Amino acid sequence: MTLTELRYLVAVARERHFGRAAEACHVSQPTLSVAIKKLEEELDVKIFERSSNEIAVTPLGQEIVRQAQVVIEQAQLIKEIAKRGRDPLAGPLRLGVIYTIGPYLLPDLVRQVIERTPQMPLLLQENFTVKLLDMLRSGELDCAILAEPFPDAGLAIAPLYDEPFRIAVPASHPLAQRESLSAEELKQETLLLLGNGHCFRDHVLEVCPEFARFASGAEGIQRSFEGSSLETIKHMVASGMGITVVPELSVPAEPPPHLKFLHFTEPVPSRRVVLAWRRSFTRYEAIAALRNAVMACRLAGVQRINA
């Protein structure tokens, strides 16, 4: 049994015709037919039912075809692994990013990666921290950009930047006349929060712990509302429903007329954003290239960590 014979097998199952399958495999029909017959004899099973008009795959043949496809894909993966060994930057890098970072970092990051390492396209996945950690452990992702803290999963970590928080208020709100506010002053306001699962929600509740009780009980609905994304919450703020806390990179260069973004007074709350990957992941050069691409992004208002 050879990979070539398995490729012929899959082609016949796909085309349901020996002539079309031979054409797809760039061989003569007799060559393909002989290979399929040889494979059936070796396995001592009937894979195809032949008639004058069409070819059908037997029930047992369908299982064999599915497994043949797996073997072909795994053989191709061996070639990809060898290729990455020769050039660690060659081939896609599967990157996860949390929801509160992705929309603000990825547009610039993708451009930087295309310019710097065009041979390493990014396969992107946005999700919650917990889900991204699961995908890292299972090997579905190669690395992820997360905000600390998160459960220790035995991952390798490289810090990227410290990102301060800002306060978003309606332009018509009395506080909009201020340039900065303390966390203490937020206690009297209606605070809009991200829904459960977002780590940034927990960061905000660390800044304003008194709102934690509103997040889990119905009585708090008058003082604490939830949104599915930072952009949704900003629209809620603009419509006058309350105020919110956002990360620096989500603040647009030209804020819309109905919103005002204020600074926190000292001490300014912030979050540390890091790049995480499995310690067993061997494409170290790819991780370094990605981190360098992040550092080349604009990252206005954040403190890069070059260590």
Side-chain angles (χ1 to χ4, degrees), residues 23 31 46 74 85 98 122 124 127 132 157 178 184-185 187 214 240 242 275 281:
E23 184 178 349
T31 297
K46 192 174 184 180
Q74 291 298 315
I98 58 175
L122 295 179
L124 301 169
N127 219 309
L132 294 180
I157 302 292
R178 302 272 297 276
E184 183 72 18
E185 291 177 279
K187 290 182 179 180
F214 295 131
L275 178 61
F281 187 60

Side-chain angles (χ1 to χ4, degrees), residues 33 37 47 52 71 87 115 134 136 152 157-158 169 174 194 217 260 271 278 286 292:
S33 297
K37 187 173 185 300
I47 300 174
S52 57
V71 172
D87 180 3
E115 291 175 6
D134 287 341
L136 274 175
D152 181 11
I157 302 292
V169 303
L194 285 169
K260 178 77 181 293
R271 65 177 178 179
R278 292 185 309 283
N292 289 338

Side-chain angles (χ1 to χ4, degrees), residues 32-302:
L32 182 138
S33 297
V34 169
I36 294 297
K37 187 173 185 300
K38 174 178 175 291
L39 185 59
E40 287 182 318
E41 291 175 350
E42 180 181 348
L43 297 175
D44 194 22
V45 296
K46 192 174 184 180
I47 300 174
F48 299 108
E49 294 178 351
R50 301 160 176 83
S51 69
S52 57
N53 296 324
E54 63 178 17
I55 293 173
V57 186
T58 65
L60 184 58
Q62 290 176 351
E63 293 185 40
I64 293 173
V65 169
R66 282 196 295 270
Q67 188 59 39
Q69 183 64 56
V70 171
V71 172
I72 293 169
E73 291 173 355
Q74 291 298 315
Q76 182 60 39
L77 182 58
I78 291 174
K79 293 182 179 179
E80 292 296 327
I81 292 171
K83 182 180 178 182
R84 291 199 298 267
R86 295 190 300 271
D87 180 3
L89 298 181
L93 185 70
R94 299 171 298 173
L95 172 65
V97 188
I98 58 175
Y99 289 120
T100 56
I101 291 177
Y104 315 109
L105 176 63
L106 287 179
D108 199 5
L109 177 58
V110 169
R111 284 193 295 270
Q112 292 291 340
V113 170
I114 290 173
E115 291 175 6
R116 292 164 170 265
T117 52
Q119 74 274 38
M120 189 184 76
L122 295 179
L123 299 181
L124 301 169
Q125 168 75 236
E126 277 189 296
N127 219 309
F128 298 113
T129 298
V130 172
K131 178 61 177 175
L132 294 180
L133 289 173
D134 287 341
M135 295 177 75
L136 274 175
R137 294 188 193 99
S138 66
E140 295 176 75
L141 289 176
D142 299 322
C143 54
I145 296 177
L146 309 167
E148 290 185 328
F150 49 82
D152 181 11
L155 299 171
I157 302 292
L160 297 174
Y161 56 84
D162 289 330
E163 182 177 23
F165 299 163
R166 297 278 290 277
I167 306 160
V169 303
S172 59
H173 196 288
L175 292 177
Q177 307 305 313
R178 302 272 297 276
E179 290 299 322
S180 61
L181 293 173
S182 67
E184 183 72 18
E185 291 177 279
L186 303 186
K187 290 182 179 180
Q188 307 305 317
E189 303 298 325
T190 299
L191 186 68
L192 308 183
L193 297 169
L194 285 169
N196 284 320
H198 290 277
C199 61
F200 190 71
R201 169 196 178 94
D202 300 326
H203 295 157
V204 173
L205 290 177
E206 287 180 9
V207 178
C208 309
E210 60 278 354
F211 285 96
R213 62 190 178 93
F214 295 131
S216 58
E219 70 172 296
I221 195 66
Q222 297 180 4
R223 292 291 306 280
S224 176
F225 299 84
E226 295 183 355
S228 59
S229 72
L230 287 175
E231 295 309 306
T232 297
I233 288 182
K234 288 178 191 175
H235 290 305
M236 293 165 69
V237 171
S239 69
M241 291 185 64
I243 69 173
T244 195
V245 176
V246 299
E248 179 70 38
L249 290 184
S250 74
V251 177
E254 296 183 6
H258 299 298
L259 275 178
K260 178 77 181 293
F261 293 92
L262 312 178
H263 294 277
F264 274 96
T265 57
E266 296 290 345
V268 178
S270 65
R271 65 177 178 179
R272 172 155 293 189
V273 175
V274 302
L275 178 61
W277 66 96
R278 292 185 309 283
R279 295 186 185 277
S280 59
F281 187 60
T282 58
R283 295 174 64 191
Y284 307 115
E285 293 86 350
I287 294 295
L290 179 63
R291 187 172 187 273
N292 289 338
V294 172
M295 292 304 174
C297 293
R298 289 185 297 272
L299 301 179
V302 310

